Structures are given as C-alpha cells and as structure tokens.
Amino acid sequence: MPGTPDERVRALRRTVNDLHGELVRYGLVVWTAGNVSARVPGRDLMVIKPSGVSYDDLSPEAMVVCDLEGTVVEGDLRPSSDTAAHAYVYRHMPDVGGVVHTHSAYACAWAARGEPVPCVLTAMADEFGAEIPLGPFAPIGDDSIGRGIVGTLRGHRSPAVIMRNHGVFTIGADARAAVKAAVMCEDAARAVHLARQLGDPVPLRPEDIDRLYQRYQNAYGQRP
C-alpha cells in the first residue's frame, strides 16, 4: 500500500468502512452486530469498527485504530467488543491481513447445533478446501475467541470458522478477502442446510476436494 504511514491508515479507514457496507449488502449482519478489521501493513496496528454503532452511522472517521494488543491508538470511539479476538489473530497469524465477524443466520444455525459444515459442493472445495470447521465455545470480551480461531484455523485450509453457539469468524490476506470468505461461508451454510431438508448430502471425495481447491486457488480468474 503506497503512501506515508498516516496515508496508509487513512486509506484503510476508508476501506474498512466500505467493507462494512458489503456485510449489509449480503445480509450477513443485523442492527450493530458484526465487524471488519484490517492490519496496517508494516505497522503493529489494525483498523476496526467502533462498538455498538449503527451501520448507517459509520464513516471512515468513526473507525478506530488499535495496536495489536487491542489498545486504542487513534479514534474517539470505543472499538468493537471483539477487538481482543482480532488482535490475538493478528499477533499469532502474521500472514493474516483482515478479520471479519458475522452472525449470519444459516452459519449461526450450524453454530447452534455445534456442527461443522461438511464439504459437499464444488464451490466449498474451491473456497475452503475442506469442511467449514467448528471452533470451541468461548466468552466474548477477551482473547478467548481469538485463541479458538487460531487453534482451529492454523494448519487448516479454510479461511472460515464457525464458533460454537456464536457465529462466524473469517480471515484473509486482506480485509476484502476475509469479507469474501464470510459471504461464501453463509452461502455454503445455507445450501447445505437446504440439501439436508431433502435428504443426506453426497460427500465429495478427498481427492476431488484437493483437485478443486488447487485449481481454484492457483488457476481460476485473471492472472498477471
């Protein structure tokens, strides 16, 4: 990301603000729930949504800059109640540039059941490379959720985890990638839920999942 350190932070404030609009657009959040954060490249900082502020009232200026311990560095509002969880992920997964949390309905239904979403569709194999895993129940407000996210996703191909009795957390190389993973997680959770109403979904073979995942991650789309 070009520019001075201050310019990079301002740019990320705009990006994170705009990406919260994508959560609304795809129906992944209600009221003030959910949040997006982004790591500031080259600095031990992140930008995150303020706590309890309506999506209609968000602006780049409302975004809060914190260090990777969750301490506010810049901003007039209190950061998200999930700040400690996001900060823990950034500290322990240095390749992660964005974190998203939603309470999207179908994924939360799986969270309430305490069950991972099985990999039964090619689109799931493409995006997640396996089932969408289930993380442990953890209290809100400290880094317990972050520890559950890292413990579940470290070494797993999925960028999404469904935390038991809670909701979805996703990671990505940047915040936009993490938002995409949240959108795809809800789409998969919905499709597999509907399939179960008709009967038992047919699982994909592991070798087919591997083949699909490698093709999508390395060959799909436009390349330089």
Side-chain angles (χ1 to χ4, degrees):
M1 180 179 291
T4 68
D6 287 345
E7 288 171 341
R8 289 196 290 270
V9 169
R10 285 196 294 271
L12 272 183
R13 281 175 177 265
R14 291 192 296 270
T15 296
V16 171
N17 176 71
D18 292 347
L19 287 172
H20 281 94
E22 295 296 286
L23 301 187
V24 175
R25 175 187 175 196
Y26 285 99
L28 303 184
V29 294
V30 296
W31 205 242
T32 63
N35 41 72
V36 178
S37 74
R39 184 196 295 269
V40 180
R43 303 180 68 185
D44 289 335
L45 298 174
M46 66 179 184
V47 178
I48 194 166
K49 175 182 177 286
S51 177
V53 176
S54 167
Y55 283 84
D56 289 338
D57 295 329
L58 292 179
S59 67
E61 295 72 29
M63 298 300 122
V64 185
V65 182
C66 297
D67 65 21
L68 298 191
E69 297 294 332
T71 303
V72 174
V73 172
E74 184 181 312
D76 299 324
L77 301 173
R78 289 190 299 111
S80 166
S81 60
D82 294 305
T83 296
H86 288 240
Y88 187 94
V89 173
Y90 289 128
R91 291 199 308 272
H92 292 271
M93 301 183 82
D95 292 337
V96 169
V99 179
V100 171
H101 173 45
T102 75
H103 296 161
S104 55
Y106 284 91
C108 279
W110 291 85
R113 287 180 52 85
E115 186 177 354
V117 183
C119 188
V120 296
L121 295 167
T122 60
M124 291 186 67
D126 289 346
E127 185 71 28
F128 304 105
E131 68 180 13
I132 301 173
L134 180 74
F137 176 78
I140 299 169
D142 60 18
D143 64 9
S144 298
I145 291 174
R147 286 187 270 117
I149 296 167
V150 171
T152 304
L153 292 185
R154 182 175 278 164
H156 199 291
R157 291 195 294 206
S158 174
V161 54
I162 296 175
M163 297 297 285
R164 185 167 64 83
N165 300 109
H166 187 172
V168 176
F169 282 84
T170 62
I171 59 174
D174 56 27
R176 183 172 183 81
V179 169
K180 179 196 174 188
V183 172
M184 300 301 288
C185 177
E186 178 65 2
D187 185 64
R190 177 177 181 271
V192 181
H193 167 79
L194 293 174
R196 280 194 167 183
Q197 311 315 299
L198 301 173
D200 293 328
V202 178
L204 288 169
R205 298 181 305 170
E207 57 268 31
D208 289 329
I209 294 173
D210 290 343
R211 187 180 307 109
L212 288 160
Y213 180 78
Q214 294 301 328
R215 179 202 65 88
Y216 185 76
Q217 297 298 322
N218 298 309
Y220 176 80
Q222 304 303 310
R223 300 290 162 179

